[in-house]
Amino acid sequence: MLCENYRFDDKRLPGLSPVWCGTEQCAPGFSVGFTRPYWMLHFVVSGKGTFSTGGVTYDVMPSQIFVVRPHRPHVYTADKTDPWHYIWLNFYCDTELPALLDADVITAPSLGSLFADCLDAAREEYGAREAITAGLWALFAALIRMQAAHGTRQNPYVTAAKRYIEENYAKPIRVSDIARTLNLDRCYFSTVFRRETGTSPKQYLAEVRMEHAAELLSAEGASVTSAARRAGYGDCMNFSRHFKAHFGVSPSRYREMIAKNEIDGGFPDKISERNER
């Protein structure tokens, strides 16, 4: 079974910082399910599989990219009869990314060569990290050109709602508040949002809050009480209940595991070096 796995040093650099790069011809039915504090892009070279995130499951085919966002639960599984072969790029990014990466799955046959170039760079003894950083910027530029060429546009109400949530998730906002801001009926807004994103605005708001809470606990070492408050939860017990339902462990246990370097944003019963893929 083909498998190459290259990891760069753990130092997180400002802006864009590669973490892992590799490729694998997966075994039939091979499945991965965990969270990470960084972005993960998988380009499917051949074969097929499924990718589940945010309550939606996608059938992913060759020349498609499935996008895993930081701290977002997900599962991806190779097909049992035609398992996929993919190339992956994992990275931290503190800057704004192309809008196409808001999608969970992107069809982009022209980008396969950029993933292959990054893999070739990872095999080099010197300058691999710098070359992959440049390759990621080239990939982002290509995604921006794709969006411009195909006129990819999200429903303006959904775009505005997402922006409102990102700017106000720390406040005690509700779906009715978002709809009112957009001058829309709550039921109509929820229908449009679900049709465009595959998830409800309530679930999307909860996911944004959980992702920010996990970032506060892992990157900043915030206390559970502080993370709850800064993620928009006035009740710490309610926050802990939602966090455990979302990630599978309590926020205090998650914080403890991060502090002891037992995990790298994932959970030990689901992680092995192989699972970095």
Side-chain angles (χ1 to χ4, degrees):
M1 180 174 64
L2 171 67
C3 180
E4 297 179 51
N5 194 8
Y6 304 95
R7 179 164 187 167
F8 308 102
D9 63 69
D10 293 328
K11 184 179 180 182
R12 179 173 175 175
L13 303 176
L16 183 62
S17 185
V19 182
W20 290 86
C21 178
T23 185
E24 181 170 10
Q25 172 63 63
C26 294
F30 174 70
S31 185
V32 180
F34 56 96
T35 65
R36 282 288 182 267
Y38 41 71
W39 288 82
M40 303 168 64
L41 304 180
H42 290 68
F43 180 87
V44 179
V45 178
S46 61
K48 58 186 178 180
T50 60
F51 172 54
S52 300
T53 187
V56 182
T57 297
Y58 302 89
D59 293 318
V60 186
M61 304 297 177
S63 297
Q64 290 188 313
I65 301 167
F66 58 93
V67 181
V68 179
R69 286 180 279 282
H71 302 292
R72 192 174 194 191
H74 60 277
V75 177
Y76 49 94
T77 305
D79 188 74
K80 292 183 179 180
T81 57
D82 186 17
W84 49 21
H85 167 209
Y86 50 53
I87 300 171
W88 71 86
L89 294 169
N90 301 350
F91 57 92
Y92 290 105
C93 190
D94 300 324
T95 61
E96 184 176 357
L97 290 172
L100 276 180
L101 290 181
D102 287 340
D104 295 323
V105 178
I106 305 166
T107 300
S110 63
L111 301 189
S113 60
L114 292 175
F115 278 81
D117 288 345
C118 286
L119 180 60
D120 287 340
R123 294 169 174 146
E124 296 295 327
E125 185 175 359
Y126 301 106
R129 182 170 187 159
E130 291 73 16
I132 291 176
T133 301
L136 283 167
W137 285 121
L139 177 64
F140 298 160
L143 287 169
I144 292 171
R145 289 193 295 270
M146 279 180 55
Q147 180 174 345
H150 295 290
T152 303
R153 294 291 184 272
Q154 191 172 58
N155 184 293
Y157 290 127
V158 174
T159 301
K162 286 184 174 181
R163 185 184 308 114
Y164 181 85
I165 289 171
E166 284 291 344
E167 294 174 353
N168 296 279
Y169 68 87
K171 302 174 183 177
I173 60 172
R174 297 177 297 180
V175 174
S176 57
D177 299 319
I178 305 170
R180 189 179 307 113
T181 299
L182 301 174
N183 294 314
L184 294 177
D185 173 76
R186 184 185 185 281
C187 291
Y188 174 74
F189 164 64
S190 295
T191 299
V192 170
F193 193 95
R194 181 181 288 277
R195 185 178 65 229
E196 289 282 320
T197 67
T199 189
S200 70
K202 181 178 180 180
Q203 184 177 358
Y204 183 85
L205 172 60
E207 289 179 355
V208 169
R209 283 173 165 163
M210 287 294 103
E211 290 168 13
H212 281 283
E215 178 72 13
L216 290 168
L217 291 168
S218 61
E220 297 188 18
S223 67
V224 174
T225 301
S226 175
R229 175 178 52 80
R230 293 165 66 184
Y233 289 88
D235 185 332
C236 194
M237 290 185 64
N238 185 41
F239 164 70
S240 296
R241 184 170 62 253
H242 280 84
F243 191 97
K244 186 170 184 178
H246 194 76
F247 289 111
V249 296
S250 69
S252 57
R253 176 58 180 150
Y254 180 84
R255 188 172 181 271
E256 177 186 344
M257 294 163 78
I258 290 289
K260 292 181 178 179
N261 292 319
E262 294 179 6
I263 56 173
D264 182 20
F267 306 115
D269 61 332
K270 299 179 181 178
I271 294 176
S272 65
E273 184 175 69
R274 177 183 180 83
N275 278 352
E276 294 294 346
R277 302 182 287 278

